[in-house]
Amino acid sequence: MKFMKSVEILRIDLSKKERRPAKDWVAEEKPLHLFLDGAFYASTHCSPSNLEELAVGHLASEGIMKSTAEIEEVNVDRKSVV
């Protein structure tokens, strides 16, 4: 599973008043640092996919940009994310 990892958990069943070790899957997140014109703007944690779209959507939702026409370039340093 992409961006998921298996972890050991303690499963608790309240109806049976039992607990037992088990394996479960959790989403794996990585930090994403956003820079505007070379200056640090913000950080967020996310699954490391669709990073360009996430960055543009974040800037649009925060009102930093009004239109995608304002974007000259979007770069993702994948070596530092994955």
Side-chain angles (χ1 to χ4, degrees):
M1 295 180 152
K2 194 173 185 179
F3 308 123
M4 299 287 286
K5 68 178 181 178
S6 177
V7 296
E8 291 290 329
I9 64 164
L10 184 61
R11 189 168 306 273
I12 300 173
D13 185 336
L14 294 176
S15 65
K16 295 179 183 176
K17 297 185 180 176
E18 293 178 348
R19 61 183 186 171
R20 63 179 168 83
K23 286 193 176 204
D24 205 352
W25 291 93
V26 295
E28 198 169 11
E29 291 188 333
K30 303 284 184 180
L32 175 66
H33 308 290
L34 301 174
F35 292 81
L36 300 176
D37 295 327
F40 174 77
Y41 168 69
S43 290
T44 187
H45 277 76
C46 60
S47 62
S49 63
N50 302 82
L51 298 175
E52 293 89 349
E53 292 84 353
L54 175 65
V56 170
H58 177 80
L59 296 174
S61 69
E62 292 293 313
I64 303 301
M65 62 177 213
K66 305 249 185 285
S67 164
T68 56
E70 298 175 53
I71 300 171
E72 290 180 18
E73 184 177 31
V74 177
N75 292 313
V76 175
D77 180 1
R78 298 206 182 274
K79 292 177 287 186
S80 66
V81 177
V82 180

